[in-house]
Amino acid sequence: MSAATASGGAALRCVPVPPERHQELIEHLRQSFFADEPLNRAVGLCRRGEPHPELERHCLQTLGQSLSCMVVDAQHKIAGAALNGLIRRGEREECERRLGELRDDNFKRIFELLYRLNDRVDLFEENGVEELFEVRILSVDEAHRGRGLAQLLLDGSLGTASSRGFKVVKADATGVFSQRVFLKRGFEVRTEIAYSEVEARLRPGPPHQALKLMVKLLD
Protein backbone atom coordinates (compact mmCIF):
# COMPACT_ATOMS: atom_id res chain seq x y z
CA MET A 1 0.00 0.00 0.00
CA SER A 2 2.62 2.53 1.13
CA ALA A 3 5.78 2.74 3.18
CA ALA A 4 7.68 5.30 5.21
CA THR A 5 10.55 5.63 7.65
CA ALA A 6 9.63 6.94 11.08
CA SER A 7 11.73 9.56 12.84
CA GLY A 8 13.42 6.87 14.92
CA GLY A 9 14.69 5.18 11.77
CA ALA A 10 12.45 2.11 11.88
CA ALA A 11 10.82 1.10 8.60
CA LEU A 12 7.02 1.10 8.77
CA ARG A 13 4.51 -0.07 6.18
CA CYS A 14 0.86 0.80 5.69
CA VAL A 15 -1.01 -2.30 4.55
CA PRO A 16 -4.62 -3.57 4.33
CA VAL A 17 -6.01 -5.37 7.37
CA PRO A 18 -6.54 -9.08 6.58
CA PRO A 19 -9.40 -10.91 8.36
CA GLU A 20 -7.01 -13.11 10.32
CA ARG A 21 -5.64 -10.01 12.09
CA HIS A 22 -8.97 -8.45 13.05
CA GLN A 23 -8.82 -9.68 16.64
CA GLU A 24 -5.20 -8.56 16.98
CA LEU A 25 -6.27 -5.13 15.81
CA ILE A 26 -9.02 -5.05 18.42
CA GLU A 27 -6.35 -5.75 21.04
CA HIS A 28 -4.37 -2.79 19.70
CA LEU A 29 -7.45 -0.55 20.00
CA ARG A 30 -8.02 -1.67 23.59
CA GLN A 31 -4.54 -0.38 24.43
CA SER A 32 -4.89 2.93 22.57
CA PHE A 33 -8.04 4.33 20.99
CA PHE A 34 -10.62 2.91 23.40
CA ALA A 35 -9.15 4.80 26.37
CA ASP A 36 -7.54 7.78 24.63
CA GLU A 37 -10.15 9.02 22.15
CA PRO A 38 -11.37 12.38 23.56
CA LEU A 39 -15.08 11.55 23.89
CA ASN A 40 -14.36 8.05 25.21
CA ARG A 41 -12.04 9.54 27.82
CA ALA A 42 -14.53 12.27 28.75
CA VAL A 43 -17.25 9.78 29.67
CA GLY A 44 -14.85 7.18 31.06
CA LEU A 45 -16.00 4.61 28.54
CA CYS A 46 -13.34 2.07 29.52
CA ARG A 47 -9.89 1.78 31.04
CA ARG A 48 -6.79 0.98 29.01
CA GLY A 49 -6.73 -2.65 27.99
CA GLU A 50 -10.38 -3.26 28.87
CA PRO A 51 -12.79 -4.73 26.31
CA HIS A 52 -15.97 -2.91 25.34
CA PRO A 53 -18.37 -5.29 23.55
CA GLU A 54 -20.49 -2.66 21.77
CA LEU A 55 -17.51 -0.61 20.60
CA GLU A 56 -15.73 -3.77 19.48
CA ARG A 57 -18.81 -4.90 17.56
CA HIS A 58 -18.83 -1.52 15.79
CA CYS A 59 -15.13 -1.90 14.95
CA LEU A 60 -15.52 -5.44 13.61
CA GLN A 61 -18.46 -4.36 11.42
CA THR A 62 -16.25 -1.64 9.97
CA LEU A 63 -13.33 -4.02 9.44
CA GLY A 64 -15.71 -6.34 7.59
CA GLN A 65 -16.07 -3.72 4.84
CA SER A 66 -12.41 -4.31 3.87
CA LEU A 67 -11.50 -0.62 3.58
CA SER A 68 -9.27 -0.32 6.64
CA CYS A 69 -5.49 -0.23 6.86
CA MET A 70 -2.80 -0.59 9.50
CA VAL A 71 0.83 0.37 9.98
CA VAL A 72 3.16 -2.50 10.86
CA ASP A 73 6.81 -2.43 11.90
CA ALA A 74 9.65 -4.66 10.70
CA GLN A 75 8.39 -7.47 12.95
CA HIS A 76 4.86 -7.09 11.53
CA LYS A 77 3.57 -5.76 14.86
CA ILE A 78 0.67 -3.31 14.62
CA ALA A 79 1.80 0.25 15.35
CA GLY A 80 -1.36 2.04 14.23
CA ALA A 81 -4.61 1.61 12.36
CA ALA A 82 -7.25 3.47 10.38
CA LEU A 83 -10.69 1.91 10.48
CA ASN A 84 -12.59 3.00 7.39
CA GLY A 85 -16.10 2.27 6.22
CA LEU A 86 -18.64 3.26 3.62
CA ILE A 87 -21.95 5.01 4.19
CA ARG A 88 -24.77 4.71 1.65
CA ARG A 89 -27.51 7.22 1.02
CA GLY A 90 -30.69 6.22 2.83
CA GLU A 91 -29.09 4.37 5.75
CA ARG A 92 -30.47 6.79 8.33
CA GLU A 93 -33.24 4.48 9.56
CA GLU A 94 -30.81 1.61 10.01
CA CYS A 95 -28.46 3.86 12.00
CA GLU A 96 -31.31 4.97 14.25
CA ARG A 97 -32.28 1.34 14.83
CA ARG A 98 -28.73 0.44 15.85
CA LEU A 99 -28.56 3.47 18.12
CA GLY A 100 -31.74 2.37 19.87
CA GLU A 101 -30.23 -1.06 20.55
CA LEU A 102 -27.16 0.27 22.39
CA ARG A 103 -27.17 -0.64 26.08
CA ASP A 104 -24.18 1.33 27.32
CA ASP A 105 -25.55 4.80 28.10
CA ASN A 106 -22.19 6.52 27.70
CA PHE A 107 -21.56 4.89 24.32
CA LYS A 108 -25.07 5.82 23.23
CA ARG A 109 -24.54 9.47 24.21
CA ILE A 110 -21.40 9.63 22.08
CA PHE A 111 -23.20 8.26 19.04
CA GLU A 112 -26.16 10.59 19.57
CA LEU A 113 -23.73 13.51 19.43
CA LEU A 114 -22.12 12.18 16.25
CA TYR A 115 -25.54 11.74 14.59
CA ARG A 116 -26.48 15.26 15.63
CA LEU A 117 -23.36 16.59 13.91
CA ASN A 118 -24.06 14.67 10.71
CA ASP A 119 -27.68 15.82 10.60
CA ARG A 120 -26.43 19.34 9.91
CA VAL A 121 -25.30 18.61 6.34
CA ASP A 122 -26.37 16.33 3.49
CA LEU A 123 -23.12 15.32 1.85
CA PHE A 124 -24.92 12.97 -0.56
CA GLU A 125 -27.13 15.71 -1.98
CA GLU A 126 -24.45 18.40 -1.96
CA ASN A 127 -21.96 16.24 -3.86
CA GLY A 128 -24.30 14.14 -6.01
CA VAL A 129 -23.05 10.79 -4.69
CA GLU A 130 -24.66 7.62 -3.36
CA GLU A 131 -21.77 6.53 -1.12
CA LEU A 132 -19.27 8.21 1.18
CA PHE A 133 -15.91 6.91 2.38
CA GLU A 134 -15.61 7.50 6.12
CA VAL A 135 -12.43 7.52 8.19
CA ARG A 136 -13.94 6.34 11.48
CA ILE A 137 -10.95 5.68 13.69
CA LEU A 138 -7.32 6.81 13.61
CA SER A 139 -5.30 5.02 16.26
CA VAL A 140 -1.56 5.06 16.92
CA ASP A 141 0.19 2.98 19.57
CA GLU A 142 1.46 5.19 22.39
CA ALA A 143 5.08 4.14 21.77
CA HIS A 144 4.90 5.37 18.16
CA ARG A 145 3.14 8.71 18.62
CA GLY A 146 4.73 11.88 17.29
CA ARG A 147 6.39 10.04 14.39
CA GLY A 148 3.97 10.76 11.56
CA LEU A 149 2.03 7.49 11.63
CA ALA A 150 -1.36 9.20 11.59
CA GLN A 151 -0.41 10.93 8.33
CA LEU A 152 0.78 7.62 6.91
CA LEU A 153 -2.50 5.96 7.85
CA LEU A 154 -4.54 8.78 6.36
CA ASP A 155 -2.53 8.66 3.14
CA GLY A 156 -3.19 4.92 2.93
CA SER A 157 -6.89 5.50 3.54
CA LEU A 158 -7.10 8.18 0.87
CA GLY A 159 -5.34 5.85 -1.56
CA THR A 160 -7.91 3.15 -0.87
CA ALA A 161 -10.79 5.60 -1.29
CA SER A 162 -9.42 6.82 -4.61
CA SER A 163 -8.74 3.33 -5.96
CA ARG A 164 -12.29 2.24 -5.08
CA GLY A 165 -13.81 5.19 -6.92
CA PHE A 166 -15.07 7.23 -3.98
CA LYS A 167 -15.49 10.95 -4.59
CA VAL A 168 -16.08 12.14 -1.03
CA VAL A 169 -14.11 11.26 2.12
CA LYS A 170 -15.44 12.35 5.51
CA ALA A 171 -14.46 12.10 9.14
CA ASP A 172 -16.01 13.06 12.46
CA ALA A 173 -12.88 14.47 14.11
CA THR A 174 -13.32 14.61 17.88
CA GLY A 175 -9.95 15.98 18.96
CA VAL A 176 -7.51 18.70 18.03
CA PHE A 177 -4.72 16.28 17.10
CA SER A 178 -6.73 14.31 14.53
CA GLN A 179 -8.17 17.57 13.21
CA ARG A 180 -4.66 18.81 12.48
CA VAL A 181 -3.88 15.59 10.62
CA PHE A 182 -6.96 15.97 8.41
CA LEU A 183 -6.27 19.65 7.73
CA LYS A 184 -2.74 18.80 6.55
CA ARG A 185 -4.23 16.50 3.93
CA GLY A 186 -6.65 19.05 2.55
CA PHE A 187 -9.80 18.29 4.53
CA GLU A 188 -12.17 21.17 5.21
CA VAL A 189 -14.49 21.68 8.16
CA ARG A 190 -18.09 21.52 6.97
CA THR A 191 -19.78 21.93 10.33
CA GLU A 192 -18.91 21.65 14.00
CA ILE A 193 -20.34 21.52 17.50
CA ALA A 194 -18.44 23.36 20.20
CA TYR A 195 -17.88 21.24 23.28
CA SER A 196 -18.99 24.20 25.39
CA GLU A 197 -22.47 23.60 23.92
CA VAL A 198 -22.80 19.94 24.94
CA GLU A 199 -23.61 18.42 28.31
CA ALA A 200 -20.73 18.55 30.76
CA ARG A 201 -20.17 14.79 30.87
CA LEU A 202 -19.36 14.78 27.13
CA ARG A 203 -16.80 17.60 27.20
CA PRO A 204 -13.22 16.38 26.66
CA GLY A 205 -11.65 19.56 28.00
CA PRO A 206 -8.55 21.41 26.73
CA PRO A 207 -7.01 21.39 24.22
CA HIS A 208 -10.08 19.94 22.49
CA GLN A 209 -12.64 22.60 21.62
CA ALA A 210 -15.12 21.16 19.13
CA LEU A 211 -16.38 18.10 17.31
CA LYS A 212 -15.84 18.72 13.59
CA LEU A 213 -17.24 17.08 10.48
CA MET A 214 -14.38 17.28 7.97
CA VAL A 215 -14.53 16.52 4.25
CA LYS A 216 -12.15 16.04 1.34
CA LEU A 217 -13.25 15.77 -2.27
CA LEU A 218 -11.27 13.42 -4.50
CA ASP A 219 -10.66 13.91 -8.22
Side-chain angles (χ1 to χ4, degrees):
M1 190 177 244
S2 60
T5 300
S7 58
L12 299 164
R13 295 183 298 120
C14 186
V15 298
V17 184
E20 62 270 19
R21 300 197 73 175
H22 284 184
Q23 193 55 47
E24 183 183 351
L25 185 49
I26 293 296
E27 293 290 343
H28 157 80
L29 294 172
R30 287 175 182 169
Q31 297 295 334
S32 55
F33 179 85
F34 285 9
D36 294 341
E37 189 278 325
L39 291 176
N40 291 355
R41 177 177 286 185
V43 302
L45 190 66
C46 53
R47 291 190 290 268
R48 190 175 307 281
E50 282 187 344
H52 189 284
E54 291 184 324
L55 179 51
E56 291 178 19
R57 188 178 306 116
H58 171 71
C59 292
L60 288 170
Q61 289 171 343
T62 297
L63 287 168
Q65 295 182 329
S66 301
L67 297 171
S68 300
C69 58
M70 61 184 180
V71 167
V72 295
D73 62 18
Q75 289 74 44
H76 306 289
K77 183 179 179 181
I78 297 174
L83 271 64
N84 306 314
L86 68 88
I87 307 173
R88 296 185 178 91
R89 186 196 292 263
E91 288 186 336
R92 174 70 184 182
E93 290 184 2
E94 174 64 16
C95 290
E96 290 179 345
R97 182 188 67 78
R98 291 180 182 176
L99 179 63
E101 293 177 349
L102 296 178
R103 296 184 178 182
D104 185 314
D105 184 59
N106 286 327
F107 192 51
K108 187 172 184 177
R109 286 173 183 269
I110 291 172
F111 266 79
E112 286 174 340
L113 180 60
L114 295 176
Y115 288 152
R116 189 172 126 206
L117 177 76
N118 282 270
D119 267 347
R120 293 186 168 195
V121 294
D122 188 341
L123 295 176
F124 299 100
E125 185 66 26
E126 290 183 4
N127 297 286
V129 296
E130 297 298 316
E131 294 181 336
L132 305 173
F133 184 99
E134 182 176 48
V135 182
R136 294 177 182 165
I137 290 177
L138 275 179
S139 173
V140 175
D141 183 271
E142 189 173 18
H144 291 278
R145 290 175 187 170
R147 303 170 65 189
L149 269 69
Q151 295 285 355
L152 182 58
L153 287 162
L154 185 52
D155 287 344
S157 300
L158 291 172
T160 297
S162 179
S163 68
R164 300 290 183 90
F166 287 92
K167 301 300 182 184
V168 182
V169 180
K170 63 149 310 235
D172 301 332
T174 60
V176 65
F177 303 115
S178 62
Q179 290 162 7
R180 289 172 183 167
V181 172
F182 289 116
L183 287 172
K184 285 181 180 179
R185 288 300 183 265
F187 282 71
E188 297 181 353
V189 178
R190 296 301 304 275
T191 188
E192 63 183 83
I193 296 176
Y195 286 131
S196 61
E197 299 174 1
V198 306
E199 57 180 312
R201 67 188 296 182
L202 278 172
R203 296 174 190 169
H208 313 294
Q209 297 182 347
L211 168 62
K212 301 184 179 185
L213 193 159
M214 305 184 72
V215 176
K216 180 180 177 67
L217 302 183
L218 302 180
D219 296 331

